[in-house]
Amino acid sequence: MKRNKPFGSSRQALSSLACVSALLGLIGSAHASMPGKEIGEVSFVLGKAWIQKAGAGRERIAIGTTIGVFDKIETASDGHVHIRFADKGLFSVRPSSTVEIERYDYDAANPSASAVKFNLVEGEARSISGDAAKSARQNYRMNTPLAAIGVRGTDYVVSAGDKGVEARINQGAIVVAPFSSQCLADALGPCNASGLELAYGASQVLQVSATSGTPVMLAVSTQGLPDSFVAPVLQPSQVAAAPKEESRGELYAESVATLAVNQKIALTRANAGPGAGVVPSVPDVTAVVAPPREFTPDVAIATQALKNSQLLWGHLYNQSFAHDRIVVDYATASEGRRGAVSNDTYALFRLENSPRVQPGLGVVGFALNSAQATYKSNGAIELLDVFGGSLNIDFNANTFATSLDMRSKTLGPLGLSVSGRIGDGGYFSVVGPNHEMAGAVSLDGAEAGYFFEKALETGVIDGVTLWGRQP
């Protein structure tokens, strides 16, 4: 197993301390953290991902794959893996990432005696703590190549590599500290003596670079991005006036991909230095002339009406939001249907009777039937108006292109425009420098749906859509 190299004083002294710490850790966890002990399972997979268990070869991950102590999860450039642990903790492994589960001792009868430890070898991950980490924060740790992360809260995102580590917080607080004689890789819990705390509500990224080894706070910035991508800065009065969402489920709504993009941009600039240029392939936010029809229902569509379609959006993790219009609960959505695509909040379920779309569909244009979209910033949530859009799929060339026209009372007109490839299973997805979307078509080509997430300077816009084939 890969071990992290600490910064600081005498290597010999640190090595001795690390050995003692490792020995004590093995003694303390010998009973619970045995290889093969099942601690959770994979709840969603998109793209290519693998798992390697202790003493076994690498295998492809699938929904339902069991997760055990000492397992290593790897994702390809298109891979996403969601894991649900026994203590209701959630973990998302993003593209081009490797995560090792070093320890997961959960005592349901006495959660305060639990211990959790991950090692993010490289890439990006999001962790939403379950009962173990909430009850025993002093025994929770995520190691990265350069620094240790402990929690004072429950929801954060981290991007890690040999050149640096960056972290963002969605709720609560985290403590990030470079490895040293006061912060050993083999220990548990936050390194309070040498760590820097990042709390929810700060529009900042906490970064540790390989060159300095000292944690610093960086403001989230769009310096170097096209003007069309930079949204106006919200005034406090505007944020306060936006509608609030009290549901705790909103913790799940902030996109891992969106946060990872911000982190990648910042880290790329830090490595490249001044004059690094513009981040490529950022789609423009275009002006919208609102057509007469508005595709966001004023109230939620009746469940039975939604169930009459082949495609149905459902919540993950038993969530529900006040702004939902075209989404039902997970049990209803999954009844008689199979999951097609998902993000951290919603899943699209599809009626299936074959593994592939019907042959000979040709070029199909879809009309938008309904949609829901929100703008989230600093805890405020605004329901957007979706005025129109287009979706065209060429099943002969296996390509698609789509756009959405939206309007925010706070920001004004907003737009989304993406294109990419679609597989013979009817799935399509795109992960860009500031956006992510994924969707599916019904196997007869009559319906389509996708979710989207896009980062702005002041927050995130996201939503789900449903489309019908045009005559």
Side-chain angles (χ1 to χ4, degrees), residues 422-441:
I422 182 170
D424 59 6
Y427 308 107
F428 52 94
S429 65
V430 172
V431 177
N434 76 314
H435 64 279
E436 178 182 22
M437 65 87 68
V441 297

mmCIF file of all heavy atoms in Angstrom, residues 422-441:
data_model
loop_
_atom_site.group_PDB
_atom_site.id
_atom_site.type_symbol
_atom_site.label_atom_id
_atom_site.label_comp_id
_atom_site.label_asym_id
_atom_site.label_seq_id
_atom_site.Cartn_x
_atom_site.Cartn_y
_atom_site.Cartn_z
ATOM 1 N N ILE A 422 -23.228 9.343 -28.095
ATOM 2 C CA ILE A 422 -24.236 8.505 -27.467
ATOM 3 C C ILE A 422 -23.956 7.055 -27.832
ATOM 4 O O ILE A 422 -23.607 6.745 -28.978
ATOM 5 C CB ILE A 422 -25.665 8.913 -27.897
ATOM 6 C CG1 ILE A 422 -26.706 8.046 -27.180
ATOM 7 C CG2 ILE A 422 -25.844 8.869 -29.404
ATOM 8 C CD1 ILE A 422 -28.132 8.537 -27.352
ATOM 9 N N GLY A 423 -24.056 6.164 -26.848
ATOM 10 C CA GLY A 423 -23.769 4.755 -27.079
ATOM 11 C C GLY A 423 -24.992 3.985 -27.536
ATOM 12 O O GLY A 423 -26.125 4.485 -27.511
ATOM 13 N N ASP A 424 -24.789 2.734 -27.940
ATOM 14 C CA ASP A 424 -25.908 1.933 -28.447
ATOM 15 C C ASP A 424 -26.861 1.515 -27.333
ATOM 16 O O ASP A 424 -27.965 1.052 -27.593
ATOM 17 C CB ASP A 424 -25.424 0.713 -29.232
ATOM 18 C CG ASP A 424 -24.549 -0.226 -28.398
ATOM 19 O OD1 ASP A 424 -24.414 -0.002 -27.178
ATOM 20 O OD2 ASP A 424 -24.008 -1.182 -28.975
ATOM 21 N N GLY A 425 -26.438 1.726 -26.055
ATOM 22 C CA GLY A 425 -27.345 1.474 -24.954
ATOM 23 C C GLY A 425 -28.259 2.654 -24.673
ATOM 24 O O GLY A 425 -29.110 2.596 -23.777
ATOM 25 N N GLY A 426 -28.081 3.738 -25.439
ATOM 26 C CA GLY A 426 -28.930 4.905 -25.279
ATOM 27 C C GLY A 426 -28.478 5.866 -24.203
ATOM 28 O O GLY A 426 -29.223 6.759 -23.811
ATOM 29 N N TYR A 427 -27.223 5.753 -23.730
ATOM 30 C CA TYR A 427 -26.700 6.629 -22.696
ATOM 31 C C TYR A 427 -25.796 7.687 -23.329
ATOM 32 O O TYR A 427 -25.058 7.404 -24.281
ATOM 33 C CB TYR A 427 -25.882 5.854 -21.666
ATOM 34 C CG TYR A 427 -26.587 4.658 -21.074
ATOM 35 C CD1 TYR A 427 -26.217 3.357 -21.426
ATOM 36 C CD2 TYR A 427 -27.624 4.827 -20.165
ATOM 37 C CE1 TYR A 427 -26.865 2.261 -20.882
ATOM 38 C CE2 TYR A 427 -28.273 3.738 -19.621
ATOM 39 C CZ TYR A 427 -27.894 2.454 -19.987
ATOM 40 O OH TYR A 427 -28.538 1.375 -19.442
ATOM 41 N N PHE A 428 -25.814 8.895 -22.783
ATOM 42 C CA PHE A 428 -24.900 9.929 -23.242
ATOM 43 C C PHE A 428 -24.468 10.779 -22.062
ATOM 44 O O PHE A 428 -25.214 10.956 -21.096
ATOM 45 C CB PHE A 428 -25.525 10.803 -24.338
ATOM 46 C CG PHE A 428 -26.874 11.383 -23.992
ATOM 47 C CD1 PHE A 428 -26.995 12.649 -23.430
ATOM 48 C CD2 PHE A 428 -28.036 10.665 -24.249
ATOM 49 C CE1 PHE A 428 -28.245 13.181 -23.125
ATOM 50 C CE2 PHE A 428 -29.290 11.190 -23.951
ATOM 51 C CZ PHE A 428 -29.390 12.457 -23.385
ATOM 52 N N SER A 429 -23.249 11.303 -22.125
ATOM 53 C CA SER A 429 -22.730 12.129 -21.023
ATOM 54 C C SER A 429 -21.595 12.992 -21.524
ATOM 55 O O SER A 429 -20.909 12.650 -22.492
ATOM 56 C CB SER A 429 -22.250 11.259 -19.856
ATOM 57 O OG SER A 429 -21.137 10.476 -20.243
ATOM 58 N N VAL A 430 -21.401 14.134 -20.855
ATOM 59 C CA VAL A 430 -20.305 15.054 -21.154
ATOM 60 C C VAL A 430 -19.807 15.629 -19.836
ATOM 61 O O VAL A 430 -20.610 16.056 -19.001
ATOM 62 C CB VAL A 430 -20.756 16.209 -22.079
ATOM 63 C CG1 VAL A 430 -19.653 17.246 -22.198
ATOM 64 C CG2 VAL A 430 -21.140 15.680 -23.459
ATOM 65 N N VAL A 431 -18.500 15.630 -19.635
ATOM 66 C CA VAL A 431 -17.890 16.296 -18.490
ATOM 67 C C VAL A 431 -16.931 17.333 -19.042
ATOM 68 O O VAL A 431 -15.946 16.996 -19.698
ATOM 69 C CB VAL A 431 -17.140 15.308 -17.579
ATOM 70 C CG1 VAL A 431 -16.457 16.051 -16.439
ATOM 71 C CG2 VAL A 431 -18.088 14.259 -17.031
ATOM 72 N N GLY A 432 -17.231 18.613 -18.840
ATOM 73 C CA GLY A 432 -16.411 19.689 -19.352
ATOM 74 C C GLY A 432 -15.716 20.440 -18.238
ATOM 75 O O GLY A 432 -15.817 20.080 -17.061
ATOM 76 N N PRO A 433 -14.996 21.510 -18.570
ATOM 77 C CA PRO A 433 -14.228 22.250 -17.558
ATOM 78 C C PRO A 433 -15.096 22.988 -16.551
ATOM 79 O O PRO A 433 -14.627 23.351 -15.479
ATOM 80 C CB PRO A 433 -13.398 23.235 -18.403
ATOM 81 C CG PRO A 433 -14.172 23.383 -19.667
ATOM 82 C CD PRO A 433 -14.810 22.061 -19.919
ATOM 83 N N ASN A 434 -16.352 23.246 -16.880
ATOM 84 C CA ASN A 434 -17.218 23.912 -15.902
ATOM 85 C C ASN A 434 -18.621 23.339 -15.886
ATOM 86 O O ASN A 434 -19.538 23.925 -15.337
ATOM 87 C CB ASN A 434 -17.306 25.412 -16.215
ATOM 88 C CG ASN A 434 -18.221 25.684 -17.409
ATOM 89 O OD1 ASN A 434 -18.123 25.002 -18.432
ATOM 90 N ND2 ASN A 434 -19.096 26.659 -17.288
ATOM 91 N N HIS A 435 -18.816 22.169 -16.498
ATOM 92 C CA HIS A 435 -20.159 21.617 -16.577
ATOM 93 C C HIS A 435 -20.111 20.097 -16.673
ATOM 94 O O HIS A 435 -19.098 19.503 -17.045
ATOM 95 C CB HIS A 435 -20.905 22.186 -17.784
ATOM 96 C CG HIS A 435 -20.280 21.813 -19.105
ATOM 97 N ND1 HIS A 435 -19.179 22.484 -19.617
ATOM 98 C CD2 HIS A 435 -20.573 20.842 -20.014
ATOM 99 C CE1 HIS A 435 -18.845 21.933 -20.786
ATOM 100 N NE2 HIS A 435 -19.665 20.947 -21.040
ATOM 101 N N GLU A 436 -21.225 19.493 -16.325
ATOM 102 C CA GLU A 436 -21.400 18.042 -16.448
ATOM 103 C C GLU A 436 -22.856 17.785 -16.786
ATOM 104 O O GLU A 436 -23.760 18.450 -16.277
ATOM 105 C CB GLU A 436 -21.037 17.332 -15.153
ATOM 106 C CG GLU A 436 -21.250 15.818 -15.218
ATOM 107 C CD GLU A 436 -20.933 15.111 -13.907
ATOM 108 O OE1 GLU A 436 -20.956 15.790 -12.851
ATOM 109 O OE2 GLU A 436 -20.684 13.901 -13.931
ATOM 110 N N MET A 437 -23.096 16.830 -17.678
ATOM 111 C CA MET A 437 -24.455 16.409 -17.965
ATOM 112 C C MET A 437 -24.428 14.939 -18.347
ATOM 113 O O MET A 437 -23.426 14.422 -18.845
ATOM 114 C CB MET A 437 -25.087 17.253 -19.068
ATOM 115 C CG MET A 437 -24.444 17.137 -20.438
ATOM 116 S SD MET A 437 -25.094 15.783 -21.469
ATOM 117 C CE MET A 437 -26.739 16.367 -21.779
ATOM 118 N N ALA A 438 -25.528 14.249 -18.107
ATOM 119 C CA ALA A 438 -25.654 12.851 -18.500
ATOM 120 C C ALA A 438 -27.128 12.544 -18.664
ATOM 121 O O ALA A 438 -27.976 13.079 -17.930
ATOM 122 C CB ALA A 438 -25.011 11.917 -17.473
ATOM 123 N N GLY A 439 -27.439 11.689 -19.616
ATOM 124 C CA GLY A 439 -28.831 11.366 -19.868
ATOM 125 C C GLY A 439 -28.988 10.044 -20.582
ATOM 126 O O GLY A 439 -28.030 9.295 -20.789
ATOM 127 N N ALA A 440 -30.219 9.770 -20.981
ATOM 128 C CA ALA A 440 -30.541 8.525 -21.667
ATOM 129 C C ALA A 440 -31.804 8.727 -22.491
ATOM 130 O O ALA A 440 -32.600 9.629 -22.223
ATOM 131 C CB ALA A 440 -30.733 7.378 -20.668
ATOM 132 N N VAL A 441 -31.970 7.863 -23.484
ATOM 133 C CA VAL A 441 -33.203 7.840 -24.273
ATOM 134 C C VAL A 441 -33.932 6.543 -23.979
ATOM 135 O O VAL A 441 -33.338 5.542 -23.558
ATOM 136 C CB VAL A 441 -32.916 7.944 -25.787
ATOM 137 C CG1 VAL A 441 -32.247 9.264 -26.119
ATOM 138 C CG2 VAL A 441 -32.048 6.773 -26.258
#
